[in-house]
Amino acid sequence: MRLPRVAAWRPSFVLRRLVRQEEILVVALSGLVGVLAGLVVAAMILAAREAHVRLFGLPSEALSGAEAVAPWRALLVPAAGGLLLGAFGMLLARWRRAGRIVDPIEANALYGGQISGRDSLIVVAQTLVSNGCGASVGMEAGYTQAAAAIASKLGRAFKLRRSDLRVIVGAGTAGAIAAAFDAPLTGAFYAFELVIGAYAIGSLAPVVVAAICAVGAMRLVVEPSSFQVGFAGTLALRDYAPIVVMGFVCAAVAIAVMRGVPLVEAAFRRSRVPLPLQPALGGLAVGGLALVTPAVLSSGHSALHVGFEAFYTPGMLVMLIALKAVASAVSIGSGFRGGLFFASLFLGAMLGKLVAFAWMSLFSLQIPAVVLGIVGMSAMATAILGGPLTMAFLALETTGSLPLTIAVLAASVVASLTVRR
């Protein structure tokens, strides 16, 4: 009789085999991924806040929500960050082999959930530099990249099947988004719609557990920066007219923003500015816009908080929307690393308030303007990123209102279909 190999009885081998065979252990592993994702997000948030305070000389970390920033800091800090990013890019070109860095969505779709840890560290570093120096980008790309890399590393260490590895990578991104927004359902459906690409009973428990654990871990380290908007009313059928209009308007603006980014990239490529200096030039341009309003700096999360409570004239709203859209396109087009998730929320919220002004003037608005702000925020993010259910759950966790969530879903579907068309 053939005796079993000694390796088959090693604790590590037995543990790997148990994890592969027992669904509950995959869920437990997802919970660990969620905890690590929450801690990573918390660390990145703290690092970015500290950079904003020190580099921009602010009494608090709320950069985009600040009333004013010293003009020389607004101009020089983004430009200096661009120089640092350009120098980092030159070093990477010599050190790293050619090829694009794979993000979690592409990794799950094409590579079975395999993500390079070293490449992910590069993305995190570039994202922190970009956001920390005030470039008009969000950190969600860094959040999800780091969390997905951790999940992929753990999944491969336990030799998970390809399908399970894809689920646990999705669970990592769910934890990252859930921690960033303090919203577990939003994180979970971000993973289902954008990373895993489908909803299945088998992936429900790992993804939801990771999202909940990530929020819990993040709250132990950082006070949540989520915002709550109250709406306890109901919506009549006539109230859906401006809501549907919001879907079309958000789609139009989203298309303009998405077309603007490659146009800016092409303009920089055609320019005679050396590639390493392009982020510095982009940072200088963003700094120039920040002289008008600091709301264009960084992700715009603080500006979103302020914008929901502040009273802006229609002219001010148009200016904020235009400046933020241009600043985001210039930041990404010139070479800064980051995403448009937070920017899309700010753009949509301000656009919603603008449409509320117009509708009130023309047809006497019957619903609070904040409703169109929430609808616009969600529809704009759906138009740019996809994921109507993700944004519907963000609205639900933000407002606690089921009627408003249904309205958000309607506008998000309209925006999504329009953009796809």
Side-chain angles (χ1 to χ4, degrees):
M1 184 177 67
R2 190 175 181 180
L3 295 176
R5 292 180 298 173
V6 176
W9 299 99
R10 289 177 181 172
S12 60
F13 183 89
V14 173
L15 184 58
R16 287 172 180 170
R17 185 172 59 187
L18 285 174
V19 171
R20 285 170 58 89
Q21 294 175 349
E22 295 293 336
E23 183 179 2
I24 189 65
L25 293 181
V26 175
V27 175
L29 186 60
S30 298
L32 174 60
V33 167
V35 170
L36 296 176
L39 294 177
V40 166
V41 169
M44 292 181 67
I45 289 174
L46 290 175
R49 287 179 178 178
E50 187 67 17
H52 293 163
V53 170
R54 292 186 178 274
L55 295 177
F56 289 92
L58 299 174
S60 69
E61 69 278 359
L63 175 58
S64 62
E67 292 184 3
V69 174
W72 69 271
R73 291 180 185 270
L75 281 172
L76 294 183
V77 173
L83 281 176
L84 180 59
L85 204 62
F88 188 38
M90 289 180 62
L91 292 176
L92 286 178
R94 297 181 180 180
W95 169 64
R96 184 179 173 272
R97 66 183 185 277
R100 287 191 311 109
I101 294 177
V102 177
D103 63 32
I105 296 174
E106 189 177 3
N108 256 15
L110 302 178
Y111 303 106
Q114 297 190 38
I115 302 176
S116 167
R118 184 178 63 179
D119 288 353
S120 297
L121 286 176
I122 293 172
V123 172
V124 170
Q126 291 175 327
T127 303
L128 280 174
V129 170
S130 300
N131 186 276
C133 74
S136 190
V137 292
M139 293 202 298
E140 62 275 4
Y143 297 154
T144 54
Q145 187 77 32
I150 292 171
S152 180
K153 183 71 174 179
L154 284 175
R156 284 180 288 171
F158 283 96
K159 299 189 181 301
L160 295 182
R161 299 178 182 87
R162 181 184 176 95
S163 59
D164 289 337
L165 184 60
R166 292 180 71 252
V167 169
I168 206 167
V169 166
T173 61
I177 296 299
F181 288 94
D182 193 37
L185 288 174
T186 301
F189 276 86
Y190 177 93
F192 289 137
E193 291 188 299
L194 300 177
V195 181
I196 299 175
Y199 170 81
I201 297 298
S203 60
L204 176 63
V207 170
V208 171
V209 167
I212 294 173
C213 290
V215 170
M218 194 270 301
R219 287 179 178 177
L220 293 176
V221 182
V222 180
E223 183 179 352
S225 58
S226 61
F227 60 96
Q228 298 296 319
V229 179
F231 177 71
T234 59
L235 296 174
L237 185 60
R238 67 175 181 275
D239 298 328
Y240 275 81
I243 288 169
V244 172
V245 169
M246 275 303 309
F248 287 113
V249 173
C250 286
V253 175
I255 291 169
V257 171
M258 290 186 289
R259 288 185 178 274
V261 172
L263 287 176
V264 172
E265 290 177 343
F268 273 101
R269 283 198 304 269
R270 289 194 300 266
S271 71
R272 297 182 179 181
V273 179
L275 186 62
L277 295 180
Q278 290 180 10
L281 181 60
L284 192 62
V286 172
L289 297 176
L291 296 178
V292 181
T293 171
V296 303
L297 294 172
S298 188
S299 63
H301 201 116
S302 300
L304 179 63
H305 287 241
V306 174
F308 262 111
E309 299 175 359
F311 173 80
Y312 293 136
T313 63
M316 183 66 176
L317 288 169
V318 171
M319 184 191 71
L320 285 172
I321 293 167
L323 292 181
K324 184 62 177 178
V326 171
S328 297
V330 169
S331 296
I332 295 177
S334 63
F336 285 99
R337 172 76 72 168
L340 288 174
F341 199 158
F342 285 106
S344 66
L345 297 179
F346 176 77
L347 289 171
M350 298 304 102
L351 191 61
K353 297 185 76 169
L354 182 61
V355 170
F357 267 111
W359 201 271
M360 189 180 301
S361 302
L362 296 173
F363 308 108
S364 68
L365 189 68
Q366 302 294 324
I367 55 178
V370 70
V371 170
L372 289 186
I374 293 289
V375 169
M377 177 186 79
S378 305
M380 181 69 74
T382 300
I384 290 179
L385 302 171
L389 285 177
T390 300
M391 300 317 303
F393 279 107
L394 178 60
L396 179 60
E397 292 178 296
T398 299
T399 66
S401 170
L402 184 58
L404 183 52
T405 302
I406 297 172
V408 162
L409 189 57
S412 297
V413 169
V414 171
S416 178
L417 288 174
T418 305
V419 170
R420 288 164 65 92
R421 181 64 179 170

